[in-house]
Amino acid sequence: MPVDPPETSYAVLGLVDKKPGASGHELARLAERSLAYFWPISRTLLYREIRRLEERGWVRGTEVRQERLPDRRSYTITAEGARVLSAWLERPGTGSNQFRSEFLLRFFFSASMSGEAMKELLADYRRALHTTVEELSAVADRLASVPGARTSRLAALHGVRTAQARLGWLDEVEAELP
Amino acid sequence: MPVDPPETSYAVLGLVDKKPGASGHELARLAERSLAYFWPISRTLLYREIRRLEERGWVRGTEVRQERLPDRRSYTITAEGARVLSAWLERPGTGSNQFRSEFLLRFFFSASMSGEAMKELLADYRRALHTTVEELSAVADRLASVPGARTSRLAALHGVRTAQARLGWLDEVEAELP
DNA sequence: GTTCCCATGTAACCCGTTACATGATTTT
DNA sequence: AAAATCATGTAACGGGTTACATGGGAAC
């Protein structure tokens, strides 16, 4: 275990804090519906992080026997975990944004591409952006009527605005290309 | 060496193709000025990739003795490398976009943040976006007068439009928050 | 005399992904 | 009979980062 936990640890800690008593399975589903758009955490990684949080004493897990369903481990944040989470939130971040776009990589080298491949490249990107706009708009709309979900809704809106701007960029590009 | 090369291999291959005869050092600088915004490649990683491209026979490196400056290795794409690069460009991509925003992660959990920390979080983000807009606008402007740099210029513009949209989002957020 | 540029690497680390594994219960 | 849901993991891999290393020439 590294001395300095990765940001993902705080992400999972935050999830446990947000949904006390949740199981790994439930946290994974929550992550998939929320964090996934700006901080993806695969199921396997999430289980590993939970284990580490428990080792550090930031969350406590208790075995819960269930009748029909398989047994589950239920997690709650500890007092120390809450302190650590709060300290992380107050501390200014590094502002790191990692962004890797396969589309832009191909587009950057597209000079020697055939016209057909170029058209497909742009069309695929447009489709993907369109899907994003629809998905995230739906999320934002749903969250509009959920109390206490303001930042979640705004985070979704961040994705919507980003995708919309890129659709606009695509229009600019297609107007310019032959 | 894995059977299937990572996208970064093609990125470096593309760079060698774009700038024949360049050294690792030069390629690293080129990557820093161009790819870095949407496909960052650290210097160390780039040197490793070049070596692998050479092992695969996609680029050929020749030692160049220099007088005043240290010796350098100059790289050129091979016929097979050109075929592979072209095939990669024609082949439809997976459309993968990896995006991880430390800002959004903190923002998502900002419910329990102090007002001060919240203000700082937003201010930092605004500053970073502002810097991006200025940097990339300058790049795009410069490339406007460079022949054959259309896609490079448009790639920069993609970043500008994205950052502008996020600044607009910040306005929305600040209008809504107390 | 310190700092910047050229130039190329090695070593260690670890975060995150993918594939594999198991098994009961409920729904279609 | 098949597929989805609940539930939790292990193992292997590798892409990418960071720190460390060296050394000459030029510029300030």
Side-chain angles (χ1 to χ4, degrees):
Chain A
M1 197 165 41
V3 266
D4 222 33
E7 300 289 290
T8 300
S9 290
Y10 296 107
V12 175
L13 186 59
L15 286 181
V16 174
D17 182 52
K18 226 177 198 188
K19 204 172 158 76
S23 65
H25 188 77
E26 281 176 300
L27 292 171
R29 282 199 338 186
L30 175 57
E32 200 52 41
R33 292 197 328 265
S34 54
L35 292 190
Y37 297 97
F38 50 86
W39 201 274
I41 304 177
S42 66
R43 201 180 38 76
T44 307
L45 179 56
L46 185 126
Y47 274 110
R48 184 160 84 200
E49 287 303 332
I50 295 176
R51 192 187 358 99
R52 301 212 284 190
L53 290 177
E54 218 181 341
E55 283 167 20
R56 283 179 193 272
W58 295 352
V59 306
R60 195 182 311 109
T62 52
E63 208 72 29
V64 177
R65 259 170 288 172
Q66 296 189 120
E67 307 252 313
R68 254 159 286 276
L69 296 171
D71 293 357
R72 55 197 245 117
R73 247 184 115 70
S74 168
Y75 297 94
T76 328
I77 196 164
T78 63
E80 202 200 331
R83 265 198 304 276
V84 166
L85 179 61
S86 171
W88 173 73
L89 278 170
E90 295 299 316
R91 174 166 85 228
T94 60
S96 83
N97 268 293
Q98 68 164 267
F99 172 56
R100 264 192 167 83
S101 164
E102 199 202 331
F103 163 74
L104 282 176
L105 182 59
R106 283 163 184 272
F107 183 79
F108 182 74
F109 290 118
S110 63
S112 59
M113 254 173 65
S114 68
E116 221 176 306
M118 182 66 166
K119 254 178 42 187
E120 211 182 293
L121 180 69
L122 297 174
D124 285 350
Y125 191 46
R126 188 180 285 278
R127 259 192 298 277
L129 289 169
H130 215 254
T131 306
T132 301
V133 169
E134 294 202 339
E135 271 182 24
L136 288 182
S137 294
V139 170
D141 285 352
R142 189 175 53 77
L143 291 176
S145 57
V146 175
R150 189 197 269 145
T151 57
S152 306
R153 193 189 81 248
L154 290 173
L157 194 63
H158 181 279
V160 174
R161 295 289 177 253
T162 299
Q164 284 170 338
R166 290 172 177 173
L167 283 169
W169 173 83
L170 267 178
D171 292 339
E172 288 187 77
V173 169
E174 278 168 353
E176 189 175 326
L177 291 183
Chain B
M1 198 165 39
V3 266
D4 222 33
E7 298 291 291
T8 300
S9 290
Y10 296 107
V12 175
L13 186 59
L15 287 181
V16 174
D17 182 52
K18 227 176 198 188
K19 204 172 158 77
S23 65
H25 188 77
E26 281 176 298
L27 292 171
R29 282 200 337 185
L30 175 57
E32 200 52 41
R33 294 197 326 265
S34 54
L35 293 190
Y37 296 98
F38 50 86
W39 200 276
I41 304 177
S42 67
R43 202 178 39 76
T44 307
L45 178 56
L46 185 126
Y47 274 110
R48 184 160 86 200
E49 287 304 331
I50 294 176
R51 191 186 358 100
R52 303 212 285 190
L53 290 176
E54 219 181 342
E55 283 168 19
R56 285 179 192 270
W58 295 352
V59 306
R60 194 183 312 109
T62 51
E63 209 72 29
V64 176
R65 259 172 287 170
Q66 296 190 119
E67 308 253 310
R68 256 160 284 277
L69 295 171
D71 293 356
R72 55 197 246 118
R73 245 182 116 70
S74 168
Y75 298 95
T76 328
I77 196 163
T78 63
E80 202 200 332
R83 266 198 305 278
V84 166
L85 179 61
S86 169
W88 172 72
L89 278 170
E90 294 299 315
R91 173 167 87 230
T94 61
S96 81
N97 268 289
Q98 66 163 271
F99 173 57
R100 264 192 166 82
S101 164
E102 199 202 332
F103 164 73
L104 282 175
L105 183 59
R106 284 163 184 271
F107 183 79
F108 182 74
F109 290 119
S110 63
S112 58
M113 254 173 65
S114 69
E116 222 176 306
M118 182 66 166
K119 255 174 45 185
E120 211 182 294
L121 180 69
L122 296 175
D124 285 350
Y125 190 47
R126 188 180 285 277
R127 258 191 300 275
L129 289 170
H130 214 255
T131 306
T132 301
V133 169
E134 295 203 338
E135 272 182 23
L136 288 182
S137 295
V139 170
D141 285 354
R142 188 174 54 77
L143 291 176
S145 57
V146 175
R150 189 197 268 142
T151 57
S152 306
R153 192 191 81 249
L154 289 172
L157 193 64
H158 182 279
V160 174
R161 295 289 177 253
T162 299
Q164 284 171 337
R166 289 173 178 172
L167 283 169
W169 173 83
L170 267 177
D171 291 340
E172 288 187 77
V173 169
E174 278 169 353
E176 189 175 326
L177 291 183

